[in-house]
Amino acid sequence: YAEAGMRIIPSGSDTVLKRNGNPGDNFYCDEDGNSINALGIPSPGIDVALSEIKKMRKEVNKLGAQLWASISAGNTFIADEYYEMAHLLEQNNAADVIGGNFSCGNMALPDGTYKPIVCYDIGAFEDGVVALVSGAGNKKTEVKLTPTTERRFLIPCVEVCLKHGVDYITM
């Protein structure tokens, strides 16, 4: 992507522990040909992914691009995991921007249900944003929200991001 001229290269959302992602088919197309991803955040775990993220940053920076590393809760939401992963990325200077994924309602749980979308729980979301920003230290931060036009979710989420100094919001 950097070779093609993109200036922001996102890494996949990594989790504290290894996560295989969702089983079965992972890409679908609707009747208009738009693709829908159901991967569900496959991750080798942040400790394993860290060396690859550092290598990616070095390579994309050579091409004039930035690497935005994305982190997410695994099967359950634990705000401290965002701090732990963001701090690890910041201490290792592994990314230009550290992003917290608070979206991803496509993560299947072992019982066949789906993980709740964190940004729809404003209290939990704010705890996660505080942990992300604190762990990232002096690095810029980004927050990924579920794309929605529902003002009852969108406005409080943006207010939380502004309150805690998040640099970028992605939907």
Side-chain angles (χ1 to χ4, degrees):
Y1 294 115
E3 288 174 353
M6 289 181 66
R7 294 291 152 235
I8 297 170
I9 310 301
S11 71
S13 288
D14 283 297
T15 53
V16 168
L17 301 175
K18 180 180 180 185
R19 188 172 195 292
N20 291 329
N22 293 336
D25 293 335
N26 287 311
F27 292 97
Y28 305 90
C29 289
D30 65 15
E31 60 277 356
D32 296 324
N34 300 305
S35 66
I36 300 168
N37 146 21
L39 287 172
I41 306 181
S43 170
I46 192 68
D47 289 334
V48 173
L50 181 63
S51 63
E52 188 63 28
I53 294 168
K54 288 168 63 172
K55 288 179 198 173
M56 285 191 299
R57 179 177 188 226
K58 183 178 176 184
E59 293 301 314
V60 300
N61 285 176
K62 281 187 209 174
L63 296 167
Q66 291 184 338
L67 181 75
W68 289 25
S70 177
I71 55 178
S72 182
N75 288 346
T76 58
F77 175 76
I78 301 170
D80 288 344
E81 289 182 357
Y82 286 88
Y83 175 87
E84 180 182 334
M85 291 185 286
H87 186 69
L88 184 66
L89 291 165
E90 189 271 336
Q91 291 295 299
N92 284 275
N93 199 26
D96 297 294
V97 174
I98 300 171
N101 183 342
F102 297 96
S103 176
C104 286
N106 63 345
M107 290 176 58
L109 299 175
D111 66 3
T113 62
Y114 286 84
K115 185 181 109 169
I117 299 172
V118 177
C119 64
Y120 286 169
D121 177 337
I122 302 304
F125 173 68
E126 185 163 13
D127 291 344
V129 169
V130 167
L132 169 73
V133 171
S134 180
N138 293 322
K139 290 284 185 184
K140 290 192 178 285
T141 55
E142 174 253 356
V143 164
K144 178 183 177 193
L145 302 175
T146 291
T148 183
T149 57
E150 290 189 51
R151 297 174 74 77
R152 66 189 170 118
F153 297 120
L154 184 57
I155 291 171
C157 286
V158 170
E159 289 173 344
V160 165
C161 290
L162 292 172
K163 175 180 173 184
H164 296 290
V166 170
D167 298 288
Y168 305 99
I169 298 173
T170 301
M171 295 182 75

